[in-house]
Amino acid sequence: MNFSLEGRTYVVMGVANKRSIAWGIARSLHEAGARLIFTYANDRFEQPVKDLAETLEGQNALFYECDVTNDQEVSNTFAKIKQDVGTIHGLAHCIAFANKEDLQGEFVDTSRDGFLLAHNISSYSLVVTAKAAAPLMTEGGGIVTLTYLGGERVVKNYNVMGVAKASLDASMKYLANDLGKHGVRVNAISAGPIRTLSAKGIGDFNSVLKKIEEEAPLRRTITQEEVGDSAYYLLSDLSRGVTGEIIHVDAGYNILG
Ligand code: NDP
Ligand code: KAL
């Protein structure tokens, strides 16, 4: 069996900068020979994403603006991708957002608007992109999303995002059931804490990292590259029998009581 991604095309959503988990995934897919398509939320991130993609040797990437809160924009994006490349083989969904004020204090104080916003961007976005992307996976394909332990159990400050990740995890499983008959697999990676733009400015992030270094079975934190390589596994034929699964790439932290 050949596990090269040569001749295959993958859409990577959610590169903000070189620290983004999506960028770790892009690099792993690129190294395996894939052609890449990048989407970004708004034009603020267009040039940074293009500059980063330039650093991938021999990569002839394509770029589209796609704010996942806009149904029309999502369907237009995949219509354009269909026009420009035809078939795609997979999608990495690395998108989440919640208002800062909802990521501190108590979950019980979450506003209706804050709750809906977090679920809209962080969970429903997987459903709407899967619906738009799956018809382009005419040779079968894979979809991978990024989740976090805070969706399985209560983690301090994660609050509404934890509830949105629980919804994302369940959506991933229902999508896996719907899309399996079309040869499309849907899985999630539950990543351990990584210092990215999203994590920036979040109080106490250093102590979260320190706790992982002290307690995780591997006694260290994980990297974007490690998430990238697991995404490569999930998006390649190496994982052809796996769907509806959550793989924890977290140095083993989730097994602790
Ligand atoms: P980044 O800040 O690098 O990436 C977050 C991305 O979300 C950005 O690229 C941003 O796009 C995108 N985004 C936000 N709103 C929208 C929108 N309306 N439409 C389209 N895209 C949007 O952070 P990470 O790499 O850390 O986050 C990627 C994923 O990994 C998230 O799902 C996060 O929850 C998850 N995760 C992160 C962990 C960590 O420790 N960092 C741990 C476990 C999971 P733009 O930049 O264009 O605004
Ligand atoms: C328990 C942890 C500590 C951190 C608590 C909450 C983290 C929530 C993640 C969420 C995605 C962060 C935001 O939405 C930040 C946002 O309010 C402000 N940032 C931005 O707007 C930047 C500019 C853009 C690029 O960010 C986004 N997202 O668009 C959780 C830790 C231990 C693990 C983490 C960080 C998990 C995770 O899901 O990211």
Side-chain angles (χ1 to χ4, degrees), residues 14 16 20-21 41 45 67-68 94-96 146-147 165 191 193-194 196 198:
S20 294
I21 293 176
F45 285 100
D67 177 343
V68 294
C94 317
I95 293 172
L146 261 298
T147 189
K165 289 300 191 191
I194 300 181
T196 62
S198 279

Side-chain angles (χ1 to χ4, degrees), residues 193-245:
I194 300 181
R195 196 183 296 283
T196 62
L197 190 54
S198 279
K200 208 175 158 180
I202 305 266
D204 257 13
F205 195 68
N206 283 340
S207 58
V208 175
L209 294 174
K210 192 162 165 268
K211 193 170 158 63
I212 303 292
E213 282 164 6
E214 286 170 358
E215 296 178 13
L218 297 181
R219 300 289 192 277
R220 63 173 179 82
T221 55
I222 56 125
T223 65
Q224 288 87 338
E225 287 73 16
E226 288 167 336
V227 177
D229 287 349
S230 287
Y232 162 49
Y233 159 75
L234 286 173
L235 293 173
S236 78
D237 296 344
L238 277 165
S239 62
R240 61 199 175 281
V242 180
T243 195
E245 184 68 280

Side-chain angles (χ1 to χ4, degrees), residues 149-161:
L149 188 62
E152 298 174 59
R153 54 173 100 140
V154 173
V155 173
K156 189 173 170 232
N157 292 331
Y158 204 57
N159 296 2
V160 72
M161 187 53 72

Side-chain angles (χ1 to χ4, degrees), residues 3-257:
F3 299 117
S4 154
L5 299 183
E6 210 92 31
R8 295 201 184 182
T9 304
Y10 292 85
V11 177
V12 179
M13 311 182 82
V15 177
N17 61 26
K18 68 175 189 327
R19 288 173 180 264
S20 294
I21 293 176
W23 181 241
I25 295 176
R27 275 180 299 162
S28 291
L29 298 179
H30 167 78
E31 274 165 34
R35 180 172 193 200
L36 300 178
I37 295 175
F38 293 94
T39 73
Y40 43 87
N42 60 58
D43 48 19
R44 178 164 66 111
F45 285 100
E46 178 175 353
Q47 205 50 49
V49 173
K50 286 185 169 168
D51 291 346
L52 274 178
E54 285 267 304
T55 65
L56 301 175
E57 208 179 315
Q59 179 61 243
N60 182 20
L62 292 172
F63 306 88
Y64 304 89
E65 185 173 319
C66 184
D67 177 343
V68 294
T69 60
N70 183 329
D71 285 345
Q72 199 56 51
E73 201 163 307
V74 173
S75 73
N76 288 347
T77 299
F78 285 93
K80 278 188 241 156
I81 292 174
K82 185 177 180 186
Q83 214 169 48
D84 295 344
V85 305
T87 295
I88 64 170
H89 301 85
L91 169 80
H93 170 279
C94 317
I95 293 172
F97 186 89
N99 286 328
K100 252 197 168 135
E101 65 262 29
D102 294 327
L103 300 170
Q104 57 202 359
E106 295 197 347
F107 170 68
V108 71
D109 295 322
T110 309
S111 67
R112 187 183 299 271
D113 282 352
F115 186 97
L116 293 176
L117 178 70
H119 283 70
N120 187 11
I121 299 183
S122 316
S123 176
Y124 184 70
S125 63
L126 179 69
V127 184
V128 71
T129 54
K131 188 175 169 73
L136 277 65
M137 299 183 194
T138 53
E139 298 168 5
I143 297 175
V144 168
T145 188
L146 261 298
T147 189
Y148 178 62
L149 188 62
E152 298 174 59
R153 54 173 100 140
V154 173
V155 173
K156 189 173 170 232
N157 292 331
Y158 204 57
N159 296 2
V160 72
M161 187 53 72
V163 181
K165 289 300 191 191
S167 160
L168 176 74
D169 296 354
S171 300
M172 178 276 289
K173 293 175 191 174
Y174 277 88
L175 290 168
N177 188 48
D178 287 347
L179 301 179
K181 55 183 168 297
H182 305 299
V184 176
R185 299 182 293 105
V186 189
N187 292 288
I189 293 174
S190 181
I194 300 181
R195 196 183 296 283
T196 62
L197 190 54
S198 279
K200 208 175 158 180
I202 305 266
D204 257 13
F205 195 68
N206 283 340
S207 58
V208 175
L209 294 174
K210 192 162 165 268
K211 193 170 158 63
I212 303 292
E213 282 164 6
E214 286 170 358
E215 296 178 13
L218 297 181
R219 300 289 192 277
R220 63 173 179 82
T221 55
I222 56 125
T223 65
Q224 288 87 338
E225 287 73 16
E226 288 167 336
V227 177
D229 287 349
S230 287
Y232 162 49
Y233 159 75
L234 286 173
L235 293 173
S236 78
D237 296 344
L238 277 165
S239 62
R240 61 199 175 281
V242 180
T243 195
E245 184 68 280
I246 300 177
I247 296 186
H248 292 83
V249 181
D250 67 347
Y253 186 75
N254 74 94
I255 67 172
L256 300 179

